[in-house]
Amino acid sequence: MANLRIRSLAALQCLALLLSSAIAAAAAAAAAKKTYIVHMNPHHMPSSFATHRDWYASSLQSLSSSSDASAAAADPLLYTYTAAFHGFAATLDSDEADALRSSASVLGVYEDTVYELHTTRTPAFLGISGDLGLWDPQEGPNGGKRRAFGDVIVGVLDTGVWPESKSFDDAGMPELPARWKGACESGPDFSAKSCNKKLIGARFFSKGFRMASGSSFLKNPKEVESPRDRDGHGTHTASTAAGSPVANASLLGYASGTARGMAEHARVAAYKVCWSSGCFGADILAGMDRAILDGVDVLSLSLGGGIAPYYRDTIAIGAFTAMERGIFVSCSAGNSGPAKESLANVAPWIMTVGAGTLDRDFPAYALLGNGKHYAGVSLYSGPGMGHNPVPVIYSKDSNISGQLCLPGSLDPALTRGKVVLCDRGVNARVEKGQVVRDAGGVGMILVNTAANGEELVADSHLIPAVAVGRKMGDVIREYVKSDRSPTAVLSFRGTVVNVRPSPVVAAFSSRGPNTVTQQILKPDVIGPGVNILAGWSEAAGPTGLESDTRKTLFNILSGTSMSCPHISGVAALLKSAHSNWSPSAIKSALMTTAYDLDNTRSPLRDAAGGTFSTPWAHGSGHVDPQKALSPGLVYDLKAEDYIAFLCSLDYTIDHVKTIVKRPNVTCSRKFSDPGELNYPSFSVVFNDKKVVRYTRELTNVGAAGSMYNVSVTGPSTVGVTVKPMKLIFPKVGDKMRYTVTFVSKKGTNPTTRSEFGSIVWSNAQNKVRSPVAYAWTKLVS
């Protein structure tokens, strides 16, 4: 009997071991699977399949040679794409991905990419009044034709939307456009009735996120799958682009006034593609695909990833189809400045937007024990420190983590009751304040390093905190290190306007040159992106930290994420005023009318070092909506021009088809140089050549009989000749060409890094300005 029990126990142990091994094997198999985006040739679909989805599902089923029940039960097909892309997203292991690549019907198989978010007074700063764009500026309100603002739809791909925000109030909005095919999707925390005549659509795309979250490298099972914004970023960007006017808006008393979007009469459609662990390419492509089919006029994406060829860039691929359908696509340039070659979203059919400051600030001060007064910024809104000096500490040089105020780096015994000096960088600025508070500190002075220069970004800290620039930071550090008993008192002064100089290019704004195509100058423009007030989610505190339990209807944020929706909203204004303009024409109008002088009439400056900015930082300049409404001339482009451009990049025809999505596309027409694209700016790369020659075509969108003369500025190292030097346009819509020849002069040092200039066509009414960047060496990719 005992032997029987022993054998039974052994059998049970063996069975348990087998089950454990099976579970482990199943988990390992699941972990080995990743999301892939598969580009198919739609014309290879056999006639036996009724839909492309049936064909894709069958293709995936044929891959499975495993008898594993759990694998068979899980549908690997995540999305099918029809507009932005021809193909699907699926969960595959590496062997299955390789098997698909060998199929003649498959043009490409790419592993999913994770993208990240690039995170009142702005309408006045930009010169936008309540009725800007309702009338053609050349005809005036009495002679112009009234435009239907409500017919313009801005699609925002982001973290979703907080529909209860007053920024989406639909009072006075007309009925929905008949062409709108969107929907208001429901979720556990989001009703299908949450949309209205202002917020006309809300969808969510989470299959790529869900797949990644179920694997070993990302875990977040608690995320609610719905269009609701629990981060705040999406509500902020959507309300910036096209929010309704809200009186008495502020962040805890800061920036008080009327908050409204750039195109306050336009509609908003929210597409949630970003989740707590990022924005997954499969979800982004699905969101773009749906937005195109829904009928948006403008797509705004305040997110981006690393640099890749256009045929591997999810956003570039989706944006190409959008452009073909007449949809303007605006994307953030990234927050990786001031490092060079740090741009994202550089495809020429995308509007790439950098960030600048406003003429509004939030001054705060640090009074040190030596009597010196140092100015900075802050959005702190709690109880003040009073007037009594408080000891200041700064971690020793051997404690770099402590100097950065990283989590767990501060000794509470040394920190309690003191103001802490924290270096900017590595972790979030607001997190540094939380670290100081958790260690018992009563205040923080946040000091810039060389990477941030004199750029000041205000934050709604949890404790009294003042941010100062690098120069002041260096002085304060030296004081704290050298004084036996250093002290400080922090004070806060609210909101001031009419700050000079402004705008200034933000130090964080990503910079050129363009590493994908050096002959295309990027970014295109800058817009307001520092300390921007807009709508917010009530599910998140103003800092976004879990410990921040404060609630606010509006928040102040900084980033190219904020500048992007400004340009998206302005593009909606232009689309409303000029419904027949192509996305390229709208882009040209915004670029050629942008300004490169600040409000002191000095060239734009760079916050990173205080020196003059260059087109690698500000592109064509800071957007000017009023002038963009009547640009005079535009550089227009069609899809065929972009195809010729793509063919000039030495891509295979399958690579071109991935982007263009036409079965019969050929490279019968191609440029000898990518810079031949009819772009509104110039990037001249001499490399081993002495002469570079480009021909451009201008279209008259101004008055009949317009005449323009050209003027050129540039470095002494380059000779520039423009022929002809005068252009006459007898009729509206007439097109005229000119050729510009750039000659690198003898004796020019080939190691010269870069120079800049401009080409301007002007008459009494308009200045059509194109920046020119010069380089003598080719970037090594």
Side-chain angles (χ1 to χ4, degrees), residues 404-407 422 425-438 444 459 461-462 543 545:
L404 288 163
C405 298
L406 300 180
C422 298
V426 182
N427 60 331
R429 300 182 299 272
V430 290
E431 185 182 60
K432 296 176 189 291
Q434 180 183 14
V435 169
V436 173
R437 186 191 69 168
D438 291 348
M444 175 179 70
D459 295 294
H461 291 282
L462 295 170
T543 63
L545 298 170

Side-chain angles (χ1 to χ4, degrees), residues 340-550:
K340 291 181 179 178
E341 304 174 21
S342 55
L343 291 165
N345 300 317
V346 296
W349 49 89
I350 289 173
M351 186 69 152
T352 310
V353 186
T357 63
L358 287 174
D359 63 344
R360 177 182 66 196
D361 218 342
F362 309 101
Y365 300 92
L367 175 61
L368 304 185
N370 59 8
K372 298 290 181 65
H373 215 232
Y374 294 100
V377 297
S378 182
L379 291 169
Y380 174 71
S381 60
M385 288 182 60
H387 302 288
N388 296 324
V390 174
V392 183
I393 61 170
Y394 181 57
S395 295
K396 295 180 180 179
D397 291 341
S398 58
N399 183 7
I400 301 297
S401 296
Q403 292 179 344
L404 288 163
C405 298
L406 300 180
S409 66
L410 300 179
D411 183 349
L414 299 175
T415 306
R416 192 171 294 110
K418 297 181 177 67
V419 170
V420 181
L421 203 63
C422 298
D423 289 344
R424 183 173 167 183
V426 182
N427 60 331
R429 300 182 299 272
V430 290
E431 185 182 60
K432 296 176 189 291
Q434 180 183 14
V435 169
V436 173
R437 186 191 69 168
D438 291 348
V442 297
M444 175 179 70
I445 301 175
L446 180 63
V447 295
N448 280 3
T449 60
N452 310 109
E454 301 309 309
E455 172 189 71
L456 296 179
V457 179
D459 295 294
S460 183
H461 291 282
L462 295 170
I463 60 171
V466 176
V468 299
R470 181 187 63 82
K471 293 176 184 177
M472 290 185 186
D474 290 345
V475 175
I476 296 173
R477 283 192 200 92
E478 187 58 35
Y479 162 72
V480 175
K481 288 180 179 179
S482 60
D483 195 282
R484 289 185 177 182
S485 301
T487 63
V489 177
L490 308 182
S491 59
F492 308 92
R493 298 294 175 86
T495 306
V496 298
V497 295
N498 299 317
V499 172
R500 296 160 74 88
S502 63
V504 175
V505 179
F508 61 73
S509 189
S510 290
R511 313 299 165 95
N514 178 351
T515 56
V516 180
T517 312
Q518 193 176 353
Q519 295 88 343
I520 300 296
L521 179 58
K522 292 281 184 169
D524 292 312
V525 293
I526 61 170
V530 179
N531 299 332
I532 304 302
L533 178 76
W536 191 245
S537 166
E538 293 183 55
T543 63
L545 298 170
E546 287 189 18
S547 61
D548 189 354
T549 58
R550 296 173 295 176

Side-chain angles (χ1 to χ4, degrees), residues 117 157-161 226-235 237 271-275 279:
L117 296 166
L157 273 70
D158 213 292
T159 63
V161 66
S226 83
R228 183 166 294 280
D229 179 15
R230 297 196 165 274
D231 177 274
H233 192 276
T235 301
T237 55
Y271 299 83
K272 184 174 180 177
V273 298
C274 295
W275 305 86
C279 319

